[in-house]
Amino acid sequence: MPKIAAPSVAEHRLRQRDALLRAATELLVTGGVSAVTPAAVGAAAGLSRPGVYQYFSSGADILAAVIEDAFPRANESLRNALDGVAGPERRLETYLRETLRLAAEGAHRPAAALAAALAAAQLPAECLARLGELHREQAAPFLAALEELEVPELQLTARLLAGVIEAAMGAIDTGAPLALVTEHTLALVRFAVAPRP
């Protein structure tokens, strides 16, 4: 029987699964969906391919677990940041600040890799519905604030501002300072949602 490096078998299994998820996330971010195979994930986590199958049944199962790991943590962080924030302007600003803070921590990278896979039709069908649901949950506070601000052409405005946010995250990824990117992004968004005479 192999040795376990934890106080209990259950904790050992949890640690192994976490290591596999971390390895899968890194492979997804650096190599895309096609890089997330049981063999590659096992090798990256220091586990044999048969060992991976004790935790996940397939590459699609691993991707589904990455989705369930990455999005809910970011969504929870957004919910916590927005809890008790009054007024649509302040909620929008808080949402943007927290989104960019999470980007600086790299929390958006799995979602960006999954979005690229979705655009290239590489994402397994069983992952699509859940990914869409979690993305809608993530965007809901942003859309609600814009709606409450009565911005014209809500869906179009939201889509354009999402592009600004995506560009801001890209700037952070390439080394632009978080504080600078945040202030510029807030200025653009404030201008976009300001009432027009």
Side-chain angles (χ1 to χ4, degrees):
M1 179 175 209
K3 290 185 177 180
I4 62 170
S8 68
V9 172
E11 189 169 334
H12 172 75
R13 287 188 57 77
L14 184 62
R15 288 181 186 178
Q16 290 282 63
R17 188 177 190 283
D18 286 346
L20 289 168
L21 278 177
R22 284 192 305 275
T25 300
E26 184 61 28
L27 286 168
L28 172 66
V29 168
T30 58
V33 167
S34 61
V36 182
T37 65
V41 171
L47 205 62
S48 68
R49 181 178 173 175
V52 174
Y53 286 114
Q54 294 178 21
Y55 299 88
F56 302 106
S57 62
S58 64
D61 192 26
I62 296 169
L63 285 170
V66 169
I67 290 168
E68 290 297 338
D69 182 59
F71 267 91
R73 281 187 290 118
N75 290 0
E76 179 68 20
S77 183
L78 283 166
R79 275 193 300 275
N80 289 339
L82 290 163
D83 188 37
V85 177
E89 294 93 351
R90 287 192 58 224
R91 284 198 309 278
L92 185 58
E93 181 172 317
T94 301
Y95 179 91
L96 291 168
R97 286 185 185 280
E98 184 63 10
T99 296
L100 296 179
R101 185 193 69 76
L102 287 167
E105 292 180 357
H108 72 292
R109 289 187 184 119
L114 288 164
L118 181 61
Q122 293 178 321
L123 205 58
E126 56 266 35
C127 296
L128 292 175
R130 184 63 176 146
L131 182 59
E133 179 184 323
L134 289 165
H135 188 267
R136 285 188 295 278
E137 179 184 305
Q138 191 173 80
F142 175 68
L143 286 170
L146 292 178
E147 187 172 17
E148 199 172 335
L149 288 167
E150 299 179 351
V151 298
E153 302 293 336
L154 175 64
Q155 293 302 319
L156 176 60
T157 301
R159 191 171 180 186
L160 293 171
L161 291 178
V164 169
I165 296 167
E166 189 175 324
M169 291 190 291
I172 291 167
D173 276 348
T174 57
L178 173 60
L180 181 65
V181 172
T182 300
E183 291 315 309
H184 278 276
T185 304
L186 287 171
L188 285 168
V189 171
R190 286 180 191 129
F191 179 78
V193 303
R196 300 288 186 263

